[in-house]
Amino acid sequence: MSFIDTHCHLAWGIDDGFQEMEDSESALRVMEKDGITAMIATPHFVPGQLDDDVIRVRDERINDLRMLARPYNVKVYEGCELFLNHEYLDVLDSGQYHTMAKSRYLLCEFDVRKNIKNNDEVEDMLYEITVKGLIPVIAHVERYFHDGIDIERVQSWVDMGCKVQINRTSILGMHGSTIQKNAHKLIRSNLAHIIASDAHRPSGNRICLLSDVYQYVKDTYGEENADILMKRNPKHIIDDEELEDIQIEQKKSIFRKLWRK
């Protein structure tokens, strides 16, 4: 089974991701070699900056990307990354958003520049999405906690029905040690559902690549969990199916072992 990238900004010239068609085509060549056979194009959708014309242009560009990707054997599905600000309810009510590959799953994000511990509206925002019959997939959860992950809070989101997406770059330490620790703690706590590239550039760190992080996760947490995070759950999203949970065996401390003796 090949890789599926469920979060990337490869559709050029419509957000802060890829800007030129040539750069997108270069990335497609990399994806083909890397074994990525499908992607969900997820341009930023910012409530307050959307209207029918804006969405039409973005839809046309995703279709352009779909055509561009065919010679590279990469299938393109539509989606968006919905920014949850104070106007997001208007977008939900108007239907001016795209779920992931037309499934029940909606990729959404908060402001990574702000520490989420100071935002007491998060739970209400996520709840309103579930009321619409949608399943929130929270993008790069590890990046919202600037001074260490709050596992209990993330667990409450998952208990609500949300799913957790982690960035490749976070796991590999490209955003610093705190975010890397957050990402690994989410995995070790069995609170991760998807790993994606969140690619924004044709070169550098934020590129369309998954094989390196797949090998890292496979070596660290086992092939079964790597497959769930980068192959099986992305396919479940495209097929609008329930996602699988990873199972990381919790290591027991030496003190617990001694106590049992």
Side-chain angles (χ1 to χ4, degrees):
M1 190 185 299
S2 304
F3 301 126
I4 299 172
D5 194 357
T6 54
H7 180 182
C8 65
H9 297 265
L10 203 66
W12 64 94
I14 55 174
D15 65 3
D16 64 344
F18 286 71
Q19 295 304 306
E20 304 294 337
M21 182 185 72
E22 292 77 13
D23 291 336
S24 298
E25 188 166 19
S26 174
L28 287 165
R29 286 193 288 269
V30 172
M31 294 172 76
E32 183 180 33
K33 292 179 181 178
D34 198 54
I36 300 173
T37 58
M39 76 166 101
I40 302 177
T42 53
H44 293 288
F45 273 35
V46 181
Q49 300 177 15
L50 298 172
D51 57 35
D52 290 342
D53 288 336
V54 169
I55 294 176
R56 176 182 54 78
V57 169
R58 296 187 178 189
D59 289 350
E60 290 173 353
R61 183 48 48 83
I62 291 175
N63 192 56
D64 292 339
L65 177 63
R66 184 177 292 118
M67 300 297 292
L68 187 69
R70 284 182 179 176
Y72 302 98
N73 302 305
V74 178
K75 190 166 185 179
V76 176
Y77 297 88
E78 71 178 14
C80 78
E81 184 177 12
L82 182 64
F83 186 71
L84 299 185
N85 60 16
H86 289 109
E87 298 175 81
Y88 84 104
L89 279 176
D90 295 335
V91 171
L92 289 181
D93 291 339
S94 66
Q96 289 181 322
Y97 60 87
H98 293 319
T99 60
M100 305 172 77
K102 299 183 179 180
S103 68
R104 294 166 293 164
Y105 296 94
L106 177 65
L107 185 69
C108 53
E109 68 167 340
F110 298 98
D111 192 340
V112 297
R113 298 167 299 180
K114 299 178 180 179
N115 195 331
I116 205 165
K117 75 176 184 179
N118 300 319
N119 186 345
D120 58 5
E121 298 177 310
V122 168
E123 285 71 22
D124 288 341
M125 289 177 165
L126 295 173
Y127 174 74
E128 290 295 339
I129 295 174
T130 66
V131 167
K132 296 290 186 181
L134 302 171
I135 301 173
V137 177
I138 310 173
H140 38 64
V141 169
E142 72 282 358
R143 296 183 65 194
Y144 304 127
F145 296 87
H146 298 180
D147 47 11
I149 197 82
D150 184 342
I151 286 296
E152 291 185 2
R153 193 175 189 190
V154 178
Q155 180 69 65
S156 73
W157 302 342
V158 173
D159 291 342
M160 188 192 303
C162 302
K163 305 302 177 183
V164 170
Q165 180 257 308
I166 298 176
N167 281 4
R168 158 191 172 267
T169 45
S170 299
I171 292 171
L172 298 179
M174 297 174 184
H175 296 294
S177 61
T178 297
I179 291 175
Q180 184 179 35
K181 289 176 183 176
N182 289 348
H184 284 278
K185 194 167 184 180
L186 286 168
I187 295 174
R188 291 196 304 271
S189 301
N190 297 313
L191 290 175
H193 299 94
I194 298 283
I195 293 173
S197 75
D198 189 13
H200 278 67
R201 300 289 182 266
S203 60
N205 291 335
R206 304 186 72 178
I207 59 176
C208 292
L209 201 71
L210 289 176
S211 61
D212 56 353
V213 72
Y214 176 84
Q215 189 63 48
Y216 186 103
V217 172
K218 177 182 174 181
D219 292 343
T220 309
Y221 300 109
E223 184 174 7
E224 176 79 1
N225 293 310
D227 283 349
I228 289 172
L229 290 166
M230 277 168 278
K231 296 180 179 181
R232 282 153 48 181
N233 274 351
K235 184 67 163 56
H236 289 321
I237 285 180
I238 288 173
D239 293 337
D240 201 13
E241 300 170 344
E242 295 298 319
L243 303 192
E244 302 176 47
D245 293 324
I246 58 174
Q247 294 294 329
I248 307 296
E249 184 176 353
Q250 303 299 317
K251 293 183 179 180
K252 297 177 181 178
S253 71
I254 184 66
F255 300 105
R256 189 175 299 176
K257 290 179 182 178
L258 290 172
W259 177 259
R260 284 192 169 186
K261 292 181 179 181

